[in-house]
Amino acid sequence: MNSVSLVGRLVRDPEVRYTPSQMAVARFTVAVDRPFSRDSEQTADFISCVAFGKQAEFIERYFTKGRPIGLTGRIQTGSYTNKDGVKVYTTDVVADRVEFVGNKEGNGGSAAPAKSGGDFDMGIPEGFSALEDEDLPF
């Protein structure tokens, strides 16, 4: 079974692009704290994630750098040849479900998580990330 659950914070604003068929593709990185530390220093893993369609639109609308995020999905590996002719291997978590965690201010409070996939008018004012018209690598 290929199943992943993550809770962390966005490292930067999500990068959202659209395919020629106008399907949204959101790429983002989640910093997940490790449960242990060395020398009293907090450490984290930085996990590359991707979401498609309505999940990507939800992320674009409501999530920005530093915001706590919870997600479930699966690990997907792949590869592509970059512009220098070098084969690059990738590992991403493909998000199937995305949720708010913490409170509206993102302080990790105990507010109930709001789930994506439904009506997007949730009354949470957030800025939108900038879109770029570059080609996707796939």
Side-chain angles (χ1 to χ4, degrees):
M1 178 188 305
N2 184 353
S3 181
V4 176
S5 294
L6 301 174
V7 175
R9 291 186 180 271
L10 290 180
V11 173
R12 62 185 153 276
D13 288 347
E15 180 181 312
V16 181
R17 298 181 181 167
Y18 289 84
T19 65
S21 63
Q22 296 305 304
M23 181 176 67
V25 179
R27 292 196 167 277
F28 54 101
T29 301
V30 177
V32 179
D33 290 336
R34 290 185 179 173
F36 57 89
S37 62
R38 290 187 177 169
D39 302 324
S40 301
E41 281 188 36
Q42 184 65 43
T43 57
D45 292 301
F46 298 90
I47 301 169
S48 297
C49 302
V50 62
F52 299 94
K54 294 216 180 273
Q55 295 296 327
E57 292 169 1
F58 178 75
I59 291 165
E60 176 183 26
R61 185 165 183 184
Y62 293 111
F63 288 90
T64 56
K65 177 181 177 178
R67 178 102 195 219
I69 188 171
L71 64 90
T72 58
R74 59 188 163 77
I75 293 177
Q76 181 172 298
T77 60
S79 64
Y80 65 93
T81 303
N82 70 11
K83 62 184 175 185
D84 298 324
V86 176
K87 193 165 192 172
V88 178
Y89 294 93
T90 62
T91 301
D92 296 304
V93 171
V94 178
D96 296 324
R97 183 176 177 166
V98 177
E99 300 181 2
F100 296 115
V101 293
N103 58 26
K104 278 180 145 178
E105 288 76 34
N107 295 327
S110 60
K115 297 172 181 70
S116 64
D119 182 10
F120 290 134
D121 186 15
M122 296 181 171
I124 301 172
E126 294 287 347
F128 297 145
S129 62
L131 299 177
E132 297 177 17
D133 291 330
E134 298 177 52
D135 293 330
L136 297 173
F138 54 91

